[in-house]
Amino acid sequence: MSKKDYLSQYLLQQKKINRLNCMIKLNPENRKKYIQAIKKSEGIRREIEAKISAVDDDVLREILFLKYTCGKSLMEISYIINYSRRHTERLHIKALEKFKL
């Protein structure tokens, strides 16, 4: 699995948690099974957050958080961090290089 694919799991897990919460309301008899799946998804999210937090550069870490936990595009991130789009793209590549799986 690539670093991008791994990081992209964060938002996917949030969608899964939301779906499972809906399933609890629809099928309360399966509540325990759904809660176990929610806890697993929350664990994956915490793991990703911890690995992003381990990146040793503040700007690179912020780019990873904004992109992969908030779902911002690189264009949106460039406005937030006040860098050009191209420079933000370069920093994103550098952030991925520093990110450790």
Side-chain angles (χ1 to χ4, degrees), residues 57-72:
D57 182 283
D58 291 340
V59 174
L60 301 180
R61 186 172 45 248
E62 191 63 21
I63 288 170
L64 292 174
F65 271 115
L66 289 169
K67 174 99 175 120
Y68 296 103
T69 67
C70 299
K72 302 282 186 193

Side-chain angles (χ1 to χ4, degrees), residues 48-84:
I48 292 170
E49 288 172 2
K51 288 182 178 185
I52 292 174
S53 293
V55 173
D56 63 355
D57 182 283
D58 291 340
V59 174
L60 301 180
R61 186 172 45 248
E62 191 63 21
I63 288 170
L64 292 174
F65 271 115
L66 289 169
K67 174 99 175 120
Y68 296 103
T69 67
C70 299
K72 302 282 186 193
S73 69
L74 289 176
M75 180 63 83
E76 292 171 308
I77 294 168
S78 70
Y79 289 125
I80 293 168
I81 64 173
N82 200 29
Y83 287 119
S84 71

Side-chain angles (χ1 to χ4, degrees), residues 12-73:
L12 181 65
Q13 296 306 315
Q14 183 58 50
K15 299 293 184 194
K16 184 176 181 179
I17 290 167
N18 292 343
R19 178 182 55 80
L20 290 166
N21 279 318
C22 289
M23 295 302 292
I24 289 172
K25 292 174 187 169
L26 294 172
N27 301 306
E29 65 276 2
N30 292 326
R31 179 179 175 80
K32 286 183 183 180
K33 180 176 83 169
Y34 296 138
I35 288 175
Q36 282 180 325
I38 288 170
K39 286 181 181 180
K40 183 178 176 184
S41 291
E42 288 172 342
I44 292 168
R45 287 169 50 96
R46 281 191 301 275
E47 179 183 298
I48 292 170
E49 288 172 2
K51 288 182 178 185
I52 292 174
S53 293
V55 173
D56 63 355
D57 182 283
D58 291 340
V59 174
L60 301 180
R61 186 172 45 248
E62 191 63 21
I63 288 170
L64 292 174
F65 271 115
L66 289 169
K67 174 99 175 120
Y68 296 103
T69 67
C70 299
K72 302 282 186 193
S73 69

Side-chain angles (χ1 to χ4, degrees), residues 1-13 44 48 67-68 92 96 99 101:
M1 176 181 291
S2 74
K3 291 178 182 182
K4 283 184 179 182
D5 290 339
Y6 175 76
L7 288 164
S8 295
Q9 289 294 308
Y10 189 91
L11 291 174
L12 181 65
Q13 296 306 315
I44 292 168
I48 292 170
K67 174 99 175 120
Y68 296 103
H92 177 245
L96 287 172
F99 180 80
L101 277 177

